[in-house]
């Protein structure tokens, strides 16, 4: 019996065939098998643990306490409760009391992010403002909802000495219950004046911040319009600046007294002109740098241009690629909502403990249960990275299918859906493993960033420098691993190999094409960056045009920053998909040129644009070789002449 050996794709091959295969054969889309199955099982167990945490919070009452609310004695509103040892007034039947009422709802602890007030379960929120204790008595007698502590009878509110500590602070504002969480919330938001007082004081003491906020308030319609616009202006900026200067000079000479402010003079108007000048100078400098870079890099962008041209064709044949950012954003949003919900459940889960300072009951996790919060935090990072990796694998699978299909008319009806099905059926383990590696690097970086923020202003210069260096190194390592993972997913989509095998094969291909990789990563990233800048610049330019002719707006800076940030996020989401397509196309191109040469039986898979690049490269290499041979031939003749002149019996004259 001939000896067999298992290949990376999972099939068994005879030993004779294995000996001939000294190098890996890239056979695109030929074999499909499950990859990294143990990691898929591990990730499934991890998901079961995440669901177990959610189930634990529901089973132990944490979810019910969050949704229905609980009072300061540990009783859950709207249900019958069990008594808590050592806590008086616990174990009450609150079946008829379904709403949480805070005695002082405006007493908010900003640092701890909670209301520092006694909470009670009531049958009805106050539907009107109650000014006196007689009003509290009348409300209790009429509606059957007692707003003071449970041990105080409602008909004795005005005469009890405990009313100052165990009854709500007067006046009691009108409240309405939240739709889901059954908390009595004051209708008049002015009750939060204490919270807003610090902000108002800070804003009133800072004239620049005051003007920025006023500009946002006055420009809200334009901000919304320009954000919708987000889904060359150098000369115009200079024209706007000159026009504004002329208009400002005319206004100053005609209406000086009307334009001047009593406390700031002409400062806001001068700030507008100075801002336009800064915009114009910045745009001019950026344009000059851009022209110089394009001048010096014009000979190195041939392959990048060809790849971008093919990437455009990919989007034409695979229009569903444009929906990938929406799908990924939707998946991330749903997961983040679930994660935040379970985190809130954890905040109300655990054993009841009486706070000795306030006398209120709080629920806290103790013992080994405290690690559930850390487990939940790791789940946030790993699952988020897993969703992003699924996007990369889906895009890579669709692009690989497009590239290695010679007849584009025979492409699947929906290559994106076919790629998703292959991912779910074969490669979820590979995606789980790659995302876990990123998680292992991201968690230490986040911990170091947290330590750095906590020790800000306390550590010495050396420790601060070391922390920043470690954070920077981990960030660089994370970026490198992200790039390698992306190419590993593409290699898995081609050969259906495991993550480590795919990463090794992709790394070897990238090393063999190191100069091309460097050129594409620099030039390509620069071109994509220019695309983002173009979108942001067009949005900012439209914002300047919109705000320039409405002189009553106090400040432009903050509205423009908001709009530009939104435009950059939109551009980044869509151009990141384009970047993935370009990187996968380059890996396919490198594999194609390595294992095929255009001869019969080894035809190229590449597009005509890339074929033209290969032919031009061959012609240029041939011309360089002929030039070197021509330069070497005269040199050999000169050396031969010198040898003859030095030979005995010959004369140099």
């Amino acid at each position: 019996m001939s000896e067999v050996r298992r290949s990376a794709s999972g099939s068994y091959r005879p030993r004779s065939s294995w000996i001939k295969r000294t190098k890996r054969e890239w056979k695109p889309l030929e074999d499909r098998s499950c990859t990294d199955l143990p990691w898929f099982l591990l990730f499934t167990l991890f998901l079961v643990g995440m669901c177990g945490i959610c189930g634990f919070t529901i089973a132990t009452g944490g979810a019910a306490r969050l949704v229905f609310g609980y009072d300061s004695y540990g009783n859950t509103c709207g249900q019958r409760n069990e008594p808590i040892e050592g806590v008086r007034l616990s174990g009450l039947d609150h079946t008829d009391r379904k709403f949480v009422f805070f005695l002082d709802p405006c007493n908010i602890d900003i640092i701890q992010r909670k209301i520092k007030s006694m909470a009670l379960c009531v049958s009805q929120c106050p539907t009107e403002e109650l000014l006196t204790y007689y009003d509290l008595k009348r409300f209790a007698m009429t509606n059957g909802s007692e707003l003071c502590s449970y041990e105080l009878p409602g008909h004795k509110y005005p005469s009890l000495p405990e009313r100052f500590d165990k009854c709500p602070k007067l006046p009691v504002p009108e409240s309405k219950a939240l739709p889901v969480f059954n908390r009595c919330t004051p209708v008049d938001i002015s009750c939060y004046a204490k919270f807003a007082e610090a902000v108002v004081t800070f804003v009133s003491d800072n004239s620049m911040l005051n003007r920025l906020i006023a500009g946002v308030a006055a420009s809200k319609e334009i901000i919304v319009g320009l954000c919708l616009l987000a889904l060359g202006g150098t000369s115009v900026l200079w024209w706007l600046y000159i026009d504004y200067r002329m208009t400002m000079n005319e206004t100053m000479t005609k209406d000086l007294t009307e334009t001047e402010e009593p406390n700031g003079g002409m400062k806001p108007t001068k700030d507008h002109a100075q801002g336009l000048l800064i915009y114009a100078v910045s745009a001019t400098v950026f344009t000059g740098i851009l022209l110089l870079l394009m001048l010096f890099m014009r000979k190195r962008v041939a392959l990048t241009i060809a790849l971008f041209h093919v990437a455009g064709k990919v989007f034409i044949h695979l229009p569903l690629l444009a929906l990938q950012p929406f799908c990924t954003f939707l998946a991330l949003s749903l997961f983040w909502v679930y994660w935040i919900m379970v985190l809130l459940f954890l905040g109300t889960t655990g054993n009841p403990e009486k706070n000795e300072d306030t006398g209120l009951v709080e629920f806290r996790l103790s013992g080994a249960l405290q690690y559930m919060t850390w487990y939940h935090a790791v789940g946030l990072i790993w699952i988020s990275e897993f969703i992003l990796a699924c996007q990369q694998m889906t895009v890579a699978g669709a692009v690989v299918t497009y590239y290695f299909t010679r007849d584009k008319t025979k492409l699947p009806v929906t290559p994106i859906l076919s790629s998703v099905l292959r991912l779910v059926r074969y490669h979820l383990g590979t995606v789980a493993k790659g995302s876990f590696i990123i998680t292992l690097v991201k968690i230490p970086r986040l911990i170091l960033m947290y330590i750095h923020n906590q020790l800000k202003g306390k550590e010495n210069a050396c420790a601060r420098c070391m922390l920043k260096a470690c954070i920077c190194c981990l960030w660089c390592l994370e970026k490198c691993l992200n790039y390698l993972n992306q190419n590993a997913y593409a290699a898995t989509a081609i050969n259906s190999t495991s993550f480590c095998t795919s990463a090794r094969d992709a790394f070897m291909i990238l090393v063999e094409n190191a100069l091309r990789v460097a050129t594409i990563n620099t030039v390509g990233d620069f071109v994509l960056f220019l695309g983002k800048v173009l979108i942001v610049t067009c949005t900012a330019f439209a914002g300047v045009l919109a705000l320039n002719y409405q002189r009553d707006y106090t400040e432009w800076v903050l509205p423009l920053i908001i709009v530009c940030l939104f435009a950059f996020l939109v551009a980044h989401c869509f151009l990141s998909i384009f970047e993935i397509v370009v990187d996968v196309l380059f890996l396919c191109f490198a594999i194609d040129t390595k294992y095929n040469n255009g001869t019969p039986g080894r035809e190229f898979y590449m597009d005509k644009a890339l074929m033209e690049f290969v032919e031009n490269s061959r012609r240029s290499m041939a011309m360089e070789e002929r030039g070197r041979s021509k330069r070497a031939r005269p040199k050999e003749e000169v050396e031969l002449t010198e040898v003859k002149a030095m030979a005995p019996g010959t004369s140099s004259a």
Side-chain angles (χ1 to χ4, degrees):
M1 179 181 292
S2 61
E3 185 178 355
V4 297
R5 180 178 179 86
R6 185 165 184 161
S7 66
S9 61
S11 60
Y12 288 89
R13 300 178 182 270
R15 179 177 176 82
S16 59
S17 174
W18 167 66
I19 294 176
K20 295 179 181 179
R21 283 189 57 190
T22 57
K23 295 183 179 179
R24 178 168 303 281
E25 296 177 3
W26 292 78
K27 294 185 177 181
L29 310 177
E30 289 189 9
D31 299 324
R32 284 290 143 198
S33 60
C34 293
T35 55
D36 297 296
L37 187 59
W39 280 93
F40 170 71
L41 298 177
L42 178 63
F43 185 71
T44 303
L45 291 176
F46 184 83
L47 291 180
V48 171
M50 292 286 290
C51 295
I53 292 177
C54 180
F56 175 80
T57 59
I58 295 175
T60 55
R65 281 189 286 269
L66 177 67
V67 176
F68 300 112
Y70 62 96
D71 61 15
S72 298
Y73 305 105
N75 300 302
T76 302
C77 300
Q79 64 183 35
R80 187 185 300 272
N81 298 276
E82 298 293 332
I84 301 174
E85 184 179 358
V87 179
R88 65 183 185 89
L89 298 179
S90 63
L92 300 179
D93 184 3
H94 284 335
T95 306
D96 298 330
R97 298 175 177 178
K98 299 181 179 181
F99 304 100
V100 180
F101 175 74
F102 297 96
L103 301 189
D104 188 7
C106 303
N107 188 6
I108 300 176
D109 187 350
I110 302 175
I111 298 177
Q112 298 295 330
R113 299 178 297 279
K114 59 177 63 177
I115 298 177
K116 296 175 59 177
S117 169
M118 178 181 289
L120 301 173
C121 294
V122 298
S123 57
Q124 183 178 346
C125 299
T127 56
E128 59 181 349
E129 186 178 18
L130 307 177
L131 303 176
T132 64
Y133 292 105
Y134 289 97
D135 293 336
L136 290 176
K137 174 184 175 181
R138 176 178 52 81
F139 183 79
M141 296 294 101
T142 304
N143 301 301
S145 181
E146 299 178 350
L147 302 182
C148 295
S149 186
Y150 304 131
E151 71 270 22
L152 303 182
H155 63 281
K156 294 184 179 180
Y157 283 168
S159 59
L160 292 175
E162 298 93 342
R163 66 183 184 275
F164 299 105
D165 297 328
K166 298 184 178 181
C167 285
K169 183 179 180 181
L170 298 178
V172 179
E174 178 186 356
S175 303
K176 285 187 178 181
L178 293 177
V180 178
F181 294 98
N182 299 327
R183 266 71 169 180
C184 294
T185 307
V187 176
D188 187 7
I189 60 174
S190 62
C191 81
Y192 299 104
K194 292 182 180 179
F195 172 75
E197 183 178 355
V199 179
V200 172
T201 303
F202 173 73
V203 171
S204 61
D205 292 341
N206 194 327
S207 59
M208 174 59 72
L209 184 60
N210 193 12
R211 281 157 46 201
L212 291 176
I213 296 177
V216 173
S219 310
K220 55 183 179 297
E221 295 86 2
I222 291 181
I223 291 176
V224 174
L226 291 175
C227 287
L228 296 177
L229 179 63
L231 288 169
T234 306
S235 59
V236 181
L237 282 172
W238 281 109
W239 173 76
L240 285 173
Y241 171 70
I242 296 172
D243 173 69
Y244 196 89
R245 289 286 298 183
M246 294 176 62
T247 305
M248 188 181 66
N249 292 335
E250 292 176 1
T251 305
M252 288 174 58
T253 54
K254 293 180 180 179
D255 303 312
L256 182 60
T257 57
E258 297 180 3
T259 307
E260 288 184 351
E261 292 183 351
N263 58 345
M266 299 293 297
K267 187 174 181 180
T269 307
K270 292 180 179 179
D271 286 346
H272 291 173
Q274 186 177 4
L276 272 176
L277 178 61
I278 293 174
Y279 299 152
V281 172
S282 301
T284 303
V285 172
F286 179 78
T287 303
I289 295 174
L290 175 61
L291 292 176
L292 290 175
L293 287 174
M294 295 305 296
L295 178 64
F296 288 109
M297 301 177 68
R298 66 187 186 279
K299 294 183 179 180
R300 296 183 177 271
V301 298
L303 179 58
T304 305
I305 293 175
L307 288 173
F308 274 49
H309 180 71
V310 178
K313 291 184 178 181
V314 171
F315 275 88
I316 293 175
H317 285 85
L318 311 177
L320 291 181
L321 280 176
L323 297 179
Q324 284 300 303
F326 293 107
C327 298
T328 304
F329 178 76
L330 179 62
L332 287 174
S333 299
L334 292 176
F335 168 67
W336 289 340
V337 168
Y338 167 81
W339 188 87
I340 293 174
M341 180 185 69
V342 177
L343 182 66
L344 294 176
F345 289 170
L346 285 172
T348 56
T349 301
N351 300 320
E353 297 181 3
K354 186 176 181 180
N355 192 320
E356 299 298 335
D357 297 332
T358 61
L360 307 180
V361 174
E362 299 176 354
F363 290 88
R364 296 177 181 175
L365 294 172
S366 59
L369 297 179
Q370 294 178 344
Y371 295 103
M372 287 196 302
T373 305
W374 290 101
Y375 187 96
H376 194 59
V378 173
L380 172 66
I381 302 174
W382 191 3
I383 297 177
S384 298
E385 292 294 332
F386 177 83
I387 295 173
L388 294 175
C390 286
Q391 173 186 268
Q392 294 177 356
M393 177 69 85
T394 301
V395 175
V399 174
V400 166
T401 301
Y402 172 84
Y403 188 96
F404 289 107
T405 301
R406 299 187 187 276
D407 188 359
K408 306 305 180 187
T409 60
K410 295 182 180 180
L411 284 170
V413 179
T414 54
I416 294 293
L417 295 181
S418 300
S419 179
V420 172
L421 293 177
R422 286 198 302 270
L423 166 64
V424 174
R425 184 175 179 182
Y426 298 112
H427 306 312
L428 285 178
T430 298
V431 173
K433 186 174 183 179
S435 57
F436 181 76
I437 293 175
I438 300 299
T439 303
L440 288 181
V441 179
K442 189 182 287 289
I443 289 177
R445 182 172 66 85
L446 294 177
I447 293 176
L448 290 179
M449 291 176 62
Y450 175 78
I451 295 175
H452 180 263
N453 291 330
Q454 292 297 315
L455 298 179
K456 187 173 293 185
K458 301 178 182 179
E459 78 278 13
N460 55 33
C462 181
R464 183 169 60 252
C465 180
M466 291 179 62
L467 273 177
K468 289 184 177 180
C470 292
I471 294 172
C472 182
C473 292
L474 289 174
W475 180 84
C476 294
L477 178 60
E478 181 182 340
K479 293 299 179 183
C480 294
L481 289 176
N482 266 320
Y483 182 73
L484 183 59
N485 281 8
Q486 180 178 304
N487 287 278
Y489 298 148
T492 299
I494 296 173
N495 268 349
S496 190
T497 50
S498 63
F499 177 82
C500 292
T501 303
S502 300
R504 184 193 63 194
D505 295 342
F507 180 75
M508 296 303 298
I509 292 292
L510 295 177
V511 169
E512 293 173 359
N513 298 268
L515 294 179
R516 287 178 174 176
V517 171
T519 302
I520 291 175
N521 283 338
T522 53
V523 179
D525 290 348
F526 178 70
V527 173
L528 292 176
F529 171 74
L530 289 183
K532 299 175 185 179
V533 170
L534 177 63
I535 295 174
V536 175
T537 303
C538 291
T539 307
F541 173 67
V544 171
L545 286 178
L547 295 172
N548 182 56
Y549 293 103
Q550 306 202 23
R551 315 280 180 173
D552 57 330
Y553 288 168
T554 311
E555 199 66 42
W556 298 356
V557 177
L558 196 55
L560 283 179
I561 290 176
I562 294 174
V563 170
C564 291
L565 284 177
F566 182 84
F568 180 81
L569 290 176
V570 172
H572 176 74
C573 289
F574 284 94
L575 291 181
S576 62
I577 299 297
F578 194 87
E579 183 179 5
I580 295 174
V581 171
V582 171
D583 290 337
V584 175
L585 283 174
F586 172 73
L587 183 66
C588 296
F589 169 77
I591 296 170
D592 196 9
T593 54
K594 180 177 181 180
Y595 293 98
N596 299 310
N597 55 12
T599 59
R602 298 180 62 186
E603 295 86 357
F604 288 120
Y605 288 94
M606 66 184 67
D607 189 84
K608 292 182 179 179
L610 293 174
M611 191 79 71
E612 291 177 359
F613 168 78
V614 173
E615 292 176 355
N616 293 334
S617 299
R618 288 178 176 177
R619 284 197 295 267
S620 62
M621 291 176 62
M623 292 177 63
E624 290 179 0
E625 290 179 359
R626 285 197 297 268
R628 283 196 297 267
S629 62
K630 289 180 180 180
R631 287 192 299 270
R633 199 170 300 156
K635 185 177 180 181
E636 292 176 357
E637 293 177 356
V638 172
E639 292 178 352
L640 183 60
T641 304
E642 292 178 354
V643 170
K644 290 181 178 180
M646 296 173 60
T650 61
S651 176
S652 61

